[in-house]
Amino acid sequence: MKSTVEMGAAGGAPALIDLEELLATRLLVQGNSGSGKSHLLRRLLEQSAGSVQQIVIDPEGDFVTLAERFDHVAIDAAAVQSDLQRIARRIRQHRVSAVLALDELEVEGQLRAAAAFLTGLFDADREHWYPALVVVDEAQLFAPALSGEGTDEARRLSLGAMTNLMCRGRKRGLAGIVATQRLAKLAKNVAAEASNFLMGRTFLDIDMARAADLLGMERRQAEMFRDLERGQFVGLGPALSRKPLPIRIGPVETSGRSGSPVLIPLPEPPGEAATELIFTASPDEAESERNPVPQRPRPATGDVLARLAAQRPEAACEREPEIDPAEAAAAVEEILAAMAAEPELAGRDLPLLFQDFSGRCRKRGLGRAVPPLSEFRRRFAIARAGASAETRGRPEWEAALAHAAGLSEDLQGLFLYVARLALEAAPAPGDGDLGDHYGTRSPGRLKRVLAHLEERGDLVCHVDAAGRRVLALPRLGIETAPGTAAAPEHARRALRPRPRLDQRLARQ
Ligand SMILES: Nc1ncnc2c1ncn2[C@@H]1O[C@H](COP(=O)(O)OP(=O)(O)OP(=O)(O)O)[C@@H](O)[C@H]1O
Ligand SMILES: [Mg+2]
């Protein structure tokens, strides 16, 4: 699976976007009309189409042409207006790339449709929190800085949905990519949540000032945005470049429905006949008024839903050669073990881990044998606990697995890790290690998680006479050896030395 996308050229070198980083850190594209934003988004979508699910909110209906070349489902919002939330949930469930075309709706309808659709994506069941790019072109329409078009209620709904996407989408696997003509017209909280920027040609001082603020540049330096050519952008952010990087966006394979205006030679001037031509109906016109052109036929909701279901990745996989189930299970175990052993994956968000995992499975041709997200989470937690073959053969490990299954999903990895250490008589780990197995780098959060496990009686943290940390699992009757380093400050303050668990158990 490709994890970098080539956007074009930066000097003599290719300009790359790191897809995984992009999923975690979002992107804001700004540039005046005609600067090449939609072209840039198309380039990003085309180049990453095989690697990540894509969902496009498309006010102009320009991106529906992606469906001709790739697997995107084009959704005519006007035709399925009342079902958009349900359709959005299905899109997440089946991991289908889709383009929501809003061009047949009035502004009010566009706002309501985008809000319903985004809410459906956001409210998807936890087990469907797969990673996806959510591209919103003309984002200032849906998240205006000030009152814009449409009623207050419609604007409030769409702004709320856009804010959710940008502020709280990451945990749910949703990565917002927003493009706007005018930074000053885009709600500040929506713009501020993107950590990557691609700035194109910008004329107005107020937009330049906001761009400079967002990029942490001198306002004078931002003047350079005025001189950019069409298709030229300055990129900055963790997925792009640490320093402002001028990029020329490369070509695209599909074309939008709207192009640049070109000059067409005028016909011979009709002279005095011009007045008559304008005020008299032609025979064609009279004919078309008698027989109006039929409206473009619209698919019913049922058709769209059926298409979404038919496009399930599983359905595509049915055409793949059957792979022996035992072989597939062994390959999945191998992939999980390899990922568990990679230190750079520690502390990553679940959607990103799953994206990586699915890519590795696809490379091995596993097709239908790829476990779903919820199963991946459980099995990866077990793999990351790192139990040796000998430990895995012990009945106590079985008991640990059974107990972990009764815990909430996010606690299972941490619990199994401590159980493995205890069964192998290994020393208690430090906070950093524990945080990696829970999936947090925040000491405060880890402290709360440990306190929660203690409250439940699943884990006891104590220190031995030498002030070293020991972690006990009372329900399994096991505990780790004392940690090699001194117990962290919070553990020492909170807990007095306690006798070893076996001594306590013997006393009871
Ligand atoms: N990098 C590029 N290479 C070649 N053509 C480009 C490039 N960028 C943009 N164009 C062309 O320039 C025209 C305008 O680009 P585009 O539609 O992407 O602008 P935009 O910033 O989205 O404008 P608007 O805000 O009005 O939608 C299009 O015809 C597009 O094909
Ligand atoms: Mg555009």
Side-chain angles (χ1 to χ4, degrees), residues 66-279:
L66 286 171
E68 293 160 15
R69 164 82 178 69
F70 302 95
D71 293 328
H72 298 70
V73 173
I75 302 165
D76 177 357
V80 290
Q81 222 167 339
S82 54
D83 287 304
L84 282 171
Q85 211 161 323
R86 202 149 58 97
I87 288 174
R89 275 205 294 270
R90 288 219 170 170
I91 282 172
R92 296 219 69 194
Q93 180 187 356
H94 300 305
R95 306 184 66 196
V96 171
S97 288
V99 179
L100 179 72
L102 297 161
D103 51 320
E104 297 280 337
L105 291 170
E106 298 297 327
V107 174
E108 171 86 9
Q110 290 191 330
L111 295 180
R112 287 181 186 278
F117 188 73
L118 284 170
T119 304
L121 297 179
F122 192 80
D123 288 346
D125 287 346
R126 198 186 176 91
E127 65 194 285
H128 301 144
W129 287 0
Y130 301 106
L133 298 181
V134 183
V135 172
V136 186
D137 202 1
E138 311 287 358
Q140 77 284 349
L141 290 177
F142 308 107
L146 300 167
S147 56
E149 293 178 83
T151 60
D152 280 351
E153 200 214 339
R155 255 199 329 273
R156 190 178 50 75
L157 288 174
S158 79
L159 177 59
M162 286 288 289
T163 308
N164 269 343
L165 167 69
M166 294 303 278
C167 300
R168 296 167 55 213
R170 185 179 60 87
K171 280 237 146 167
R172 290 164 168 75
L174 299 173
I177 312 274
V178 296
T180 181
Q181 284 181 354
R182 300 277 327 274
L183 208 38
K185 285 192 169 178
L186 182 66
K188 277 194 177 156
N189 58 343
V190 167
E193 287 302 322
S195 306
N196 299 287
F197 306 98
L198 280 163
M199 297 292 165
R201 189 173 55 195
T202 305
F203 290 121
L204 293 182
D205 288 344
I206 179 170
D207 294 326
M208 216 115 60
R210 287 226 22 219
D213 286 350
L214 276 176
L215 268 63
M217 286 171 123
E218 292 280 327
R219 298 210 172 172
R220 222 169 1 93
Q221 228 185 332
E223 286 282 320
M224 69 169 160
F225 300 139
R226 226 188 274 276
D227 300 324
L228 292 172
E229 292 171 18
R230 190 173 76 183
Q232 260 192 332
F233 286 79
V234 174
L236 180 70
L240 277 156
S241 162
R242 284 169 193 277
K243 290 193 208 142
L245 179 73
I247 295 174
R248 185 171 287 283
I249 304 299
V252 292
E253 294 169 41
T254 57
S255 56
R257 292 202 301 207
S258 58
S260 273
V262 287
L263 287 173
I264 301 169
L266 288 166
E268 275 302 306
E272 284 177 10
T275 313
E276 202 182 319
L277 282 174
I278 286 173
F279 291 109

